[in-house]
Amino acid sequence: MIRTCLAVAALAFTAQHALADQLDDIKKAGKIRIAVAMGTPLFSYADANLKPTGSDVDTAELLAKDLGVQWEMVSVTNAARIPALQANKADIVVADLSITPERQKVIDFSKPYAVITLIVGGPKNVQIKDYADLNGKKIAVTRATTNDQLTTQNAKGAEIVRYEDDATLITSMVTGQVDIFSSTPSNLGEIVKRAPGKNIERKFDQQNFLLGIALNKDQARLKEWIDNWVTANHKNGKLTAIYKKYHGKDLPAEVTNP
């Protein structure tokens, strides 16, 4: 029994020590594994040559370059962003992940590096001004996102249809499986581009959320490095330049000067 207890204690110490030294481990390995949620227009998607691109992709590339290591992209769905981190399939997550109190209970976030606006969109001929107007209607969301949480909490009378990623949600709108969705302006733009005849428009804004780079708990040194990196790249304008390149606007002051 004593030997068993000592063995368990030794394993716990080893795991804690390895976690605490993750920044050193990344540098020694010469690479950082960064989870990115592909299929999210403007943030992370495949271009015409099937090459990953978007503001999150550029952000991940810049972070790895400044850390002095190569980056290995770990492609995940929105629902798998936090599980991939917790299962040690990725070192950090750069995947339009909103900073929320619920998520902060299980993972850590860097200082905000970007922002995302959540909206409800639907056909022009359907009146939708607020959550009450969604009663009795079917609305699409991406599973395990802040959109899912907000819509579930506020649209009690709606039928919520959950998809595993933004790309599938967009396809469901374009093919007419659903006519109303909760997502982002960038996804609305993709829907309008692919199905202009459906006359889908922005109905109302749900909320703005700050986005953070996610990492596991108890990684103080890695978090400190990332926080300093975010601050430096807000000051030199690189993060705003990346955001503006894809989203067509500057980052708000609440992100660049928190």
Side-chain angles (χ1 to χ4, degrees):
M1 179 65 72
I2 293 176
R3 286 182 179 179
T4 302
C5 291
L6 287 173
V8 171
L11 285 171
F13 175 80
T14 301
Q16 183 177 13
H17 180 71
L19 198 61
D21 289 342
Q22 189 175 13
L23 181 59
D24 285 340
D25 291 341
I26 290 168
K27 290 182 177 180
K28 288 176 183 176
K31 72 175 181 180
I32 182 168
R33 300 168 302 159
I34 303 179
V36 177
M38 293 300 295
T40 306
L42 305 188
F43 285 98
S44 47
Y45 58 99
D47 64 14
N49 297 315
L50 301 181
K51 180 182 177 181
T53 190
S55 58
D56 277 345
V57 173
D58 283 9
T59 298
E61 288 180 343
L62 180 62
L63 186 150
K65 179 182 177 182
D66 289 346
L67 186 55
V69 298
Q70 294 183 336
W71 84 288
E72 177 184 320
M73 189 183 79
V74 180
S75 182
V76 297
T77 63
N78 291 84
R81 289 174 295 183
I82 293 176
L85 186 63
Q86 294 175 317
N88 195 34
K89 293 181 179 178
D91 299 310
I92 62 174
V93 177
V94 182
D96 57 286
L97 196 59
S98 303
I99 302 171
T100 66
E102 292 78 13
R103 288 171 176 163
Q104 286 175 313
K105 293 176 183 177
V106 294
I107 59 172
D108 274 341
F109 283 98
S110 69
K111 293 180 178 180
Y113 74 96
V115 69
I116 193 168
T117 301
L118 308 184
I119 67 167
V120 167
K124 289 183 179 180
N125 62 352
V126 178
Q127 181 173 311
I128 302 173
K129 294 183 178 180
D130 53 32
Y131 289 110
D133 291 331
L134 295 173
N135 287 342
K137 296 181 175 64
K138 184 185 295 185
I139 181 168
V141 301
T142 303
R143 187 185 305 278
T145 60
T146 315
N147 307 74
D148 187 354
Q149 180 183 5
L150 270 178
T151 306
T152 300
Q153 289 176 346
N154 294 289
K156 301 290 188 182
E159 178 187 348
I160 299 174
V161 183
R162 295 176 174 85
Y163 295 95
E164 293 304 316
D165 53 42
D166 287 352
T168 310
L169 180 147
I170 291 169
T171 299
S172 74
M173 287 290 297
V174 170
T175 57
Q177 297 176 49
V178 287
D179 296 319
I180 304 168
F181 73 98
S182 165
S183 192
T184 63
S186 58
N187 284 343
L188 169 61
E190 185 66 18
I191 292 166
V192 171
K193 182 175 72 174
R194 290 172 56 182
K198 290 190 174 295
N199 294 316
I200 304 298
E201 65 178 5
R202 188 168 179 159
K203 291 300 186 180
F204 67 90
D205 289 4
Q206 294 176 279
Q207 195 169 335
N208 284 331
F209 280 95
L210 300 177
L211 303 180
I213 295 170
L215 62 159
N216 275 313
K217 293 282 190 183
D218 302 319
Q219 296 180 9
R221 292 183 64 242
L222 181 58
K223 177 170 167 44
E224 180 183 20
W225 188 92
I226 296 175
D227 280 341
N228 290 337
W229 178 84
V230 170
T231 298
N233 283 279
H234 279 319
K235 287 182 178 179
N236 64 27
K238 290 184 179 180
L239 285 174
T240 287
I242 288 173
Y243 192 80
K244 189 170 185 177
K245 174 183 176 182
Y246 293 97
H247 301 268
K249 57 183 178 180
D250 292 335
L251 286 168
E254 61 181 322
V255 177
T256 57
N257 299 298

